[in-house]
Amino acid sequence: MSTLAIEGMQWGDEGKGKITDYYAAKADIVVRSQGGNNAGHSIQHNGVRYALRLLPSGILQKNVVNILADGTVINPASLLEEIDNIHKKGVEEIHLLISTRATVLMPYHIALDKAREEALGDAKIGTTKNGIGPAYEDRSARLSLRFGDLLDKEYLRKRLHAILPLKNKEIVAYGGEAFEEETLYKELCEEADKLAPMITDTTSYLQKAYKEGKKILFEGAQGAMLCLTYGTFPYVTSSSPLATAIPSNTGLPLSAVNEVLGIMKAYTTRVGEGPFPSEIFGEEAQTIRDKGHEYGTVTHRPRRIGWLDIPQLKYVISISGVKHIAIMLLDVLSVVDEIKILTKYTIDGKEIDYMPASLWELEKVKGEFLTLPSWKEDISSVRKYEDLPANCRNYISTIEKLLGVSIDLISVSPEAEATIIRNHNIF
Ligand code: IMO
Ligand code: MG
């Protein structure tokens, strides 16, 4: 297969970076198609750890072209800082293309994100405060600057002059300070000069590459349950992390997404607010949080912890066509005595077979759980499926049966080589 989409199946932070990094080495092109620097992907390369936010995970591979495609929202300052950090770590050459159609995330988007969250009080979403929502809003409102606009300074000035007064009205209404046009324009021009060589029509670039049979990896950011439409609205992000959104975020035809690999943890986590039917608390949660280092890479917030949630995962498989699964952080469950799996959703004692769209309904959901024994052995050095403890294999096969999708990759420790690969033909 010449293309592969990687999709987070939960609420983000599933360990997509590690798997993306593994496939990036086999790819010609790695594409980020949505989101912005709300993502935090940590990858290990030649023994060095890199925390990537905007840069696609193929950025450390010499022969890979990395693309920030049409559906992304990019803060130029934060992109330049990330590029700088990569260079500082000794990576000299990078191959990055930025779509002329990608949205410019502006300082006022960050100000608005923060002001909104504050104004919402207890109803806040718990965003990463990077301005993601306001940037996507402006895109839908047709009030945003796009990277192609940075290539013509006169046009850029005209657009900013038209847009900024509207944004400033909003900011001032929240009690903030208006942004100065000249300052913003100067900053943008400086950033534009640095980024201009990378800004191009990635739509036609990708179409041509696809026709030529180039191997293209679509790197997902966030997770399916954070999807603006299908996630736990309003506690979601402002784009769609689903593989089905890739065509409209890259300009490639539907048929260009050959394989979809869903990434899930061996348990569930989420950051920010919102319902979480399989959530656990107290000591049980803390043991997993500590062993799994479950603190946000972007915001350092302790992540909320829960068991695997089968109805949630089945829902994601049904809306996004996941054909293969990679299970991450399986080694973490060595620290618990028994493992639970949420197998059914009930409301008022009756099973439901759909994902409630509204919070008021999702909040009523109770889970029915299956309990399995854990394995206490350290599995981090296991490299063959057969060598996993019987209880561990039982956990994997139980999940496969419940989901009806094969678990083709199993990660048993953060290191790149600590992955059991059961299917070598995905990409
Ligand atoms: P990766 O790619 C985990 C969450 C935020 C918040 C909600 C909205 O690392 O998996 P936003 O800033 O996007 O408006 O915040 O979405 N969120 C993530 N949670 N991992 C991510 O990305 C996330 N990106 C956004 O915590 O609840
Ligand atoms: Mg994250």
Side-chain angles (χ1 to χ4, degrees), residues 106-413:
M106 297 288 290
Y108 50 74
H109 291 136
I110 300 172
L112 278 171
D113 197 355
K114 289 179 181 160
R116 292 248 180 86
E117 283 285 274
E118 208 159 294
L120 278 168
D122 286 346
K124 74 175 191 294
I125 293 161
T127 73
T128 61
K129 297 195 178 136
N130 285 304
I132 306 295
Y136 275 116
E137 280 169 48
D138 276 357
R139 178 193 193 223
S140 293
R142 294 149 296 179
L143 286 177
S144 56
L145 297 163
R146 308 209 296 180
F147 275 77
D149 302 343
L150 301 184
L151 300 177
D152 185 307
K153 301 272 168 60
E154 273 319 295
Y155 182 76
L156 179 63
R157 187 184 272 287
K158 257 202 302 198
R159 274 299 275 167
L160 187 62
H161 186 72
I163 294 165
L164 190 62
L166 278 72
K167 297 285 98 189
N168 274 339
K169 260 191 200 159
E170 242 184 291
I171 285 163
V172 171
Y174 279 114
E177 215 173 295
F179 282 80
E180 237 192 274
E181 186 179 316
E182 203 49 35
T183 317
L184 278 187
Y185 177 71
K186 273 201 189 127
E187 273 170 18
L188 261 183
C189 286
E190 276 170 35
E191 290 158 352
D193 287 340
K194 291 183 190 153
L195 294 173
M198 300 176 223
I199 303 172
T200 188
D201 185 345
T202 60
T203 314
S204 53
Y205 181 94
L206 277 169
Q207 285 169 352
K208 188 163 167 280
Y210 177 61
K211 279 195 192 125
E212 286 169 358
K214 290 267 163 52
K215 283 179 82 91
I216 306 173
L217 179 66
F218 302 105
E219 166 179 11
Q222 287 83 51
M225 296 309 287
L226 291 171
C227 174
L228 177 61
T229 309
Y230 296 100
T232 43
F233 190 91
Y235 299 108
V236 293
T237 190
S238 297
S239 67
S240 174
L242 301 179
T244 48
I246 291 169
S248 60
N249 284 327
T250 58
L252 283 166
L254 275 181
S255 53
V257 183
N258 298 156
E259 292 283 359
V260 182
L261 171 65
I263 316 286
M264 64 183 214
K265 275 180 185 165
Y267 46 94
T268 312
T269 63
R270 80 173 294 185
V271 274
E273 314 301 317
F276 185 175
S278 69
E279 186 163 18
I280 50 176
F281 305 90
E283 205 179 306
E284 197 174 34
Q286 194 57 38
T287 315
I288 295 177
R289 185 177 296 118
D290 287 342
K291 172 76 177 164
H293 307 289
E294 295 295 358
Y295 295 88
T297 34
V298 175
T299 55
H300 309 291
R301 288 175 285 181
R303 292 179 184 142
R304 296 160 65 193
I305 311 282
W307 299 115
L308 268 196
D309 179 338
I310 298 298
Q312 177 266 303
L313 292 163
K314 278 177 103 160
Y315 167 69
V316 168
I317 292 165
S318 74
I319 54 175
S320 62
V322 167
K323 289 198 244 172
H324 312 270
I325 290 176
I327 191 166
M328 314 302 291
L329 292 124
L330 187 61
D331 53 309
V332 170
L333 295 184
S334 298
V335 297
V336 296
D337 294 321
E338 47 185 34
I339 302 172
K340 290 193 178 142
I341 302 178
L342 191 162
T343 53
K344 271 184 202 163
Y345 280 0
T346 63
I347 293 181
D348 300 330
K350 281 202 205 93
E351 183 177 356
I352 58 161
D353 64 354
Y354 58 92
M355 177 59 72
S358 299
L359 280 194
W360 62 262
E361 195 178 9
L362 192 55
E363 274 161 2
K364 289 188 190 168
V365 164
K366 296 257 180 307
E368 275 185 22
F369 291 84
L370 177 80
T371 305
L372 296 176
S374 177
W375 52 92
K376 299 301 276 187
E377 295 101 311
D378 173 11
I379 57 167
S380 59
S381 54
V382 176
R383 297 293 176 268
K384 280 199 211 125
Y385 186 68
E386 304 72 54
D387 296 342
L388 286 170
N391 283 349
C392 188
R393 279 180 281 133
N394 180 39
Y395 184 54
I396 298 287
S397 60
T398 304
I399 301 165
E400 283 182 318
K401 267 185 226 130
L402 288 166
L403 295 181
V405 179
S406 60
I407 297 182
D408 287 339
L409 293 98
I410 301 169
S411 174
V412 291
S413 166

Side-chain angles (χ1 to χ4, degrees), residues 51-63:
L52 305 177
R53 308 274 304 270
L54 272 162
L55 289 173
S57 296
I59 205 73
L60 308 170
Q61 313 280 347
K62 271 211 176 86
N63 302 315

Side-chain angles (χ1 to χ4, degrees), residues 1-61:
M1 290 296 178
S2 75
T3 73
L4 170 66
I6 290 189
E7 178 185 301
M9 294 178 75
Q10 294 157 320
W11 280 272
D13 305 322
E14 298 90 351
K16 298 177 291 291
K18 173 174 161 172
I19 298 298
T20 309
D21 195 32
Y22 169 71
Y23 286 114
K26 302 170 186 260
D28 298 308
I29 301 172
V30 178
V31 184
R32 266 285 301 270
S33 57
Q34 43 75 227
N37 62 347
N38 46 351
H41 296 174
S42 84
I43 59 178
Q44 192 122 316
H45 204 76
N46 295 334
V48 186
R49 202 164 245 310
Y50 294 84
L52 305 177
R53 308 274 304 270
L54 272 162
L55 289 173
S57 296
I59 205 73
L60 308 170
Q61 313 280 347

